[in-house]
Amino acid sequence: MYVHTPTDTSNSLPSADKPVMRSAFFISDGTAITAETLGKSLLSQFGDVEFDIQIIPYVDTPESAYEAVKRINQAHHLTGLRPLVFDTIVSDHIREIINSADACNLDIYEGLITRIADEINHKPDPHAGIAHSKVDSDDYKSRIDAVHFALDNDDGARTTHYDGADIILVGLSRSGKTPTSLYLALQYGIRAANYPLTEEDLDTSSLPPALKAHKHKLFGLTIDTERLVRIRQERKAGSRYASLAQCQEEQRAIQAIYIAQKIPNLNVSEMSVEEIATRILQMTGLKRRIG
């Protein structure tokens, strides 16, 4: 379990009746996305432990490295536990500074880069942040175009551009269509539209007119009824929209549509958006547009 908390600059130790979380730092000379992604994947193996996550991007100078070390050592002082430090820093000098912190240092690149260099008999470029400097302009344009497409075609707001969609996510309101569409766009460059099947749409087992011509692009998201009720209650507490009876009725209706129209679908109740997107690509055969 991950918990993000602001850095505590006080010198007081945690109270005795409050459980101490182990600090985990994700540090990089770039955006820290890689360190965060890989680090969280490793920490997820310890599901019963709470981690205080702190992300420090753009540690690309000795000054910023020493400042990061100060924060790490402060976390050790406050908790009495050595922080876990995941870094993806290319520069040997910057990495040495980070490794001077009183922590468990887990350099994600160091061991792998050394093994690759030995295998191919070629030294790596020592330039810090080189992985982030080679931006493919075609990839960037594809990513931005896909994001714009997802935003323009969110929640059934526009249906006239479905010819340009790679996929059209359908499902009940609050089943996770929007975040999944945006993730597919950001990470894979896939042009994803999404359309909520409303109470009016669910009255029959046929598709709304806007979707009929694009049936081959449809992919359904499903969610457990109890979870759907909780999510809707957060949005409109006490409403008919969020009632158990309404959610149950909508669930029965949408399952009937999926079966009658042979729409592939996925139960996303216990999945992260990353898992949902990956499974969609696996089930549909869609190929990512960006590297």
Side-chain angles (χ1 to χ4, degrees):
M1 180 178 182
Y2 312 123
V3 179
H4 293 261
T5 60
T7 302
D8 186 353
T9 57
S10 69
N11 292 319
S12 60
L13 291 173
S15 61
D17 60 344
K18 196 173 185 179
V20 177
M21 290 187 293
R22 179 66 67 100
S23 296
F25 288 82
F26 301 141
I27 300 176
S28 176
D29 48 28
T31 62
I33 291 175
T34 301
E36 181 183 0
T37 301
L38 294 177
K40 282 187 175 180
S41 177
L42 293 169
L43 294 183
S44 69
Q45 306 304 309
F46 307 92
D48 56 345
V49 180
E50 290 192 354
F51 295 95
D52 174 16
I53 301 299
Q54 300 188 42
I55 302 168
I56 310 180
Y58 301 113
V59 180
D60 52 6
T61 64
E63 293 75 20
S64 59
Y66 283 119
E67 183 60 33
V69 168
K70 181 180 177 181
R71 286 180 58 178
I72 296 166
N73 289 342
Q74 183 181 55
H76 183 196
H77 173 73
L78 291 172
T79 64
L81 300 172
R82 289 205 308 162
L84 304 176
V85 177
F86 300 86
D87 80 76
T88 52
I89 293 174
V90 177
S91 166
D92 291 338
H93 179 51
I94 301 297
R95 192 186 316 118
E96 286 175 4
I97 296 173
I98 295 299
N99 287 344
S100 70
D102 196 356
C104 175
N105 295 289
L106 303 160
D107 187 284
I108 294 173
Y109 278 171
E110 187 175 20
L112 294 176
I113 288 178
T114 299
R115 289 186 63 183
I116 293 170
D118 290 344
E119 179 65 27
I120 68 175
N121 194 29
H122 190 86
K123 290 184 179 181
D125 191 323
H127 177 64
I130 190 170
H132 307 288
S133 64
K134 296 181 177 178
V135 179
D136 187 301
S137 59
D138 290 337
D139 273 6
Y140 179 78
K141 184 178 184 303
S142 294
R143 189 192 306 270
I144 297 303
D145 286 347
V147 170
H148 285 164
F149 185 89
L151 292 172
D152 288 343
N153 295 275
D154 180 47
D155 210 28
R158 296 172 65 183
T159 61
T160 56
H161 295 157
Y162 282 179
D163 284 341
D166 297 313
I167 190 171
I168 304 169
L169 301 181
V170 295
L172 299 180
S173 172
R174 313 310 292 177
S175 59
K177 299 180 300 302
T178 295
T180 303
S181 297
L182 288 172
Y183 189 87
L184 287 167
L186 278 168
Q187 296 299 320
Y188 303 121
I190 288 174
R191 297 162 70 90
N194 74 80
Y195 188 102
L197 293 173
T198 65
E199 188 174 3
E200 292 75 20
D201 298 323
L202 298 171
D203 283 341
T204 68
S205 293
S206 62
L207 292 172
L211 299 180
K212 287 183 177 180
H214 308 284
K215 180 180 172 181
H216 62 291
K217 296 182 179 181
L218 302 184
F219 190 94
L221 301 186
T222 66
I223 185 171
D224 292 344
T225 302
E226 293 77 11
R227 182 169 176 79
L228 180 62
V229 170
R230 289 198 301 271
I231 293 172
R232 288 187 175 184
Q233 284 288 351
E234 292 176 2
R235 184 174 176 83
K236 292 184 178 180
S239 66
R240 176 174 172 272
Y241 164 80
S243 69
L244 177 60
Q246 179 64 25
C247 290
Q248 288 175 329
E249 180 59 31
E250 290 185 23
Q251 292 278 41
R252 285 191 290 268
I254 200 166
Q255 286 298 333
I257 289 179
Y258 288 160
I259 293 170
Q261 301 297 329
K262 296 183 172 60
I263 298 173
N265 56 88
L266 177 67
N267 188 315
V268 301
S269 301
E270 303 299 328
M271 293 185 182
S272 67
V273 68
E274 295 90 345
E275 292 172 310
I276 297 168
T278 302
R279 288 290 301 276
I280 288 174
L281 263 63
Q282 183 184 46
M283 293 173 69
T284 62
L286 279 174
K287 303 299 182 184
R288 62 190 303 160
R289 291 178 178 270
I290 56 179

